[in-house]
């Protein structure tokens, strides 16, 4: 999660907030942890750029 936050230039807490509001990249829950697939992050980023 920290890697995704660093890549996007936002704090980790922002990723949590986006997830609660269904605004950020798609995350997969593995046990108690959230994981982000690189292709999902890139797709979300492309959508943000297009908008």
């Amino acid at each position: 999660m920290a890697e995704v936050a660093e890549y996007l230039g936002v704090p980790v807490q922002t990723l949590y907030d986006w997830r609660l509001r269904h605004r950020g990249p798609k995350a997969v829950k593995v046990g108690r942890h959230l994981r982000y697939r690189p292709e999902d992050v890139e797709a979300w980023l492309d959508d943000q750029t297009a908008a």
Side-chain angles (χ1 to χ4, degrees):
M1 179 164 274
E3 292 174 355
V4 174
E6 183 178 339
Y7 177 71
L8 294 176
V10 298
V12 171
Q13 185 61 48
T14 299
L15 289 177
Y16 285 117
D17 293 342
W18 284 348
R19 179 163 167 79
L20 288 174
R21 292 174 176 79
H22 305 285
R23 294 182 140 184
K26 182 180 174 184
V28 177
K29 196 163 186 182
V30 179
R32 295 174 29 196
H33 305 281
L34 293 176
R35 298 291 184 246
Y36 291 87
R37 292 184 181 118
E39 58 269 18
D40 291 337
V41 174
E42 290 297 325
W44 176 82
L45 197 56
D46 288 343
D47 288 345
Q48 301 310 301
T49 304

